[in-house]
Amino acid sequence: MNPPRKAAPSAWRRARRGQALVEYSVLNWVLLVALVVGATVKIRWSEDRQANVIDLFLEAYEIYYDSFYFVLNLPFP
């Protein structure tokens, strides 16, 4: 017969919490770096047009949003 298992020591529980905190911090750092890089890198579409990724996403969202107004304001019932 096996002896009853002891509860996990508090150091083991702290180690798991520490691992989650490290993973959370690394994930936030990666997202922050991606945001900074996305906001600063310019994409050259042509000689006269350059835009960064954030501007391109906002422009695409504006077109998407305007298309709803276009469809809702059609003269058909």
Side-chain angles (χ1 to χ4, degrees):
M1 188 173 219
N2 291 336
R5 295 181 67 113
K6 293 182 181 179
S10 61
W12 177 253
R13 280 182 271 157
R14 265 188 270 135
R16 284 191 285 178
R17 279 193 309 229
Q19 179 184 357
L21 184 62
V22 169
E23 290 174 359
Y24 177 75
S25 300
V26 169
L27 182 63
N28 279 338
W29 183 83
V30 167
L31 291 175
L32 183 67
V33 168
L35 179 65
V36 169
V37 168
T40 57
V41 172
K42 298 266 185 190
I43 298 174
R44 182 181 294 239
W45 295 101
S46 63
E47 291 298 321
D48 59 339
R49 173 140 164 105
Q50 291 184 358
N52 61 22
V53 177
I54 303 292
D55 289 338
L56 293 174
F57 275 118
L58 289 175
E59 184 178 341
Y61 183 72
E62 182 182 1
I63 293 170
Y64 175 75
Y65 193 72
D66 289 342
S67 67
F68 279 113
Y69 276 115
F70 177 77
V71 170
L72 290 175
N73 289 323
L74 287 175
F76 307 116

